[in-house]
Amino acid sequence: MIKALVSIDVDLAASRTIRFACQLGYFMPVELHPVYIKESPPRELSIGSGWARHHWEQELIQEGKKEISEWIASEIDYSPEVKLMEPRVVTGDRDAELLRIMEKEAFDLYVEGARFPWNQAMLYQKVHSRLFQKAQMPIALAPVLRKMHKLLAPCFDGAGTQALGRALPKLWSGSSLPVALSLLQGREGALQPEAQRVREALEKASCQVGPDEVFTAFPSPPTDEFLREYGLMALALERGVSKDSPRLEWLAQFKAPLLLVLY
């Protein structure tokens, strides 16, 4: 079963987050752990008495639980097979609190709804954020929702293909959603050995893997028809990716749910 930490809020992005996570539940067992991060108390309470701060935080947590309980219950109806754990409400800095949870508990996937503008500059900032740099699991981002037909796994280079080979067999083990390994056009021969190792690892993990495909949707942006053919992409990206990276520029034009594997 996939154990997914899901960062939510009461907004449209969070709605996509929950629905995306529920979509995964159609293809594999998923256990959702929703976390709602509320802002820290005002400065006057922070420097005041311990009782005032504690009382304020408890009220904030109870208010937060009330805000999201009914909302999550309505969203989970999209996939009743998903196992929903009791939502957590935490006060403090969002990234710091999420990292604290990740350090204490083991998760297979982190999911958020891409609340930031989906462009190259913001993607760069997000990848280089402390949260993403420290996360030791694939990260799911859902700027939009699409019907999932296949998991597209483009292989751009040897190091990225190896990273996919480490992450996907564990995450996608036993999934009924097929994986399409797609080798960058012009590099099929060089990437074939690594892609074959990924294929063998996926098959060993009881994943459905289609025949290798040639990836022609780079550097030109993928068409909407191309995106509809798959519905979900797993992309390996260097943690130190540069701001002017062609791959990052291309990713900013990829409007489909994403499984980001940082290496």
Side-chain angles (χ1 to χ4, degrees), residues 18-30 75-82 146-148 172 174-177:
I18 292 292
R19 292 188 188 187
F20 168 75
C22 288
Q23 275 184 292
L24 294 180
Y26 287 111
F27 308 108
M28 66 189 80
V30 177
E75 294 297 333
I76 205 71
D77 286 343
Y78 284 88
S79 183
E81 299 87 356
V82 168
R146 289 183 179 271
K147 187 174 181 179
M148 298 179 189
W172 224 243
S175 173
S176 61
L177 188 70

Side-chain angles (χ1 to χ4, degrees), residues 40-41 45 52-62 91-92:
S40 297
L45 285 181
R53 179 186 177 90
H54 178 75
H55 181 71
W56 186 89
E57 287 183 342
Q58 289 305 308
E59 284 191 345
L60 196 65
I61 288 171
Q62 292 307 315
T91 60

Side-chain angles (χ1 to χ4, degrees), residues 6-8 13-22 111-113 115 142:
V6 185
S7 174
I8 63 168
S15 177
R16 288 197 304 267
T17 305
I18 292 292
R19 292 188 188 187
F20 168 75
C22 288
V111 187
E112 69 171 57
R115 296 178 180 85

Side-chain angles (χ1 to χ4, degrees), residues 54-125:
H54 178 75
H55 181 71
W56 186 89
E57 287 183 342
Q58 289 305 308
E59 284 191 345
L60 196 65
I61 288 171
Q62 292 307 315
E63 178 186 333
K65 285 185 176 180
K66 184 177 179 180
E67 282 179 347
I68 65 173
S69 291
E70 291 184 1
W71 179 80
I72 291 179
S74 65
E75 294 297 333
I76 205 71
D77 286 343
Y78 284 88
S79 183
E81 299 87 356
V82 168
K83 183 178 180 181
L84 178 66
M85 307 306 290
E86 182 178 355
R88 292 180 243 190
V89 178
V90 182
T91 60
D93 175 78
R94 179 177 173 275
D95 284 10
E97 295 302 329
L98 287 169
L99 278 173
R100 188 172 288 114
I101 293 171
M102 291 177 184
E103 289 167 358
K104 290 181 178 179
E105 303 175 47
F107 293 96
D108 304 299
L109 182 67
Y110 169 65
V111 187
E112 69 171 57
R115 296 178 180 85
F116 55 91
W118 192 260
N119 57 49
Q120 186 172 355
M122 290 305 297
L123 282 168
Y124 173 81
Q125 289 185 24

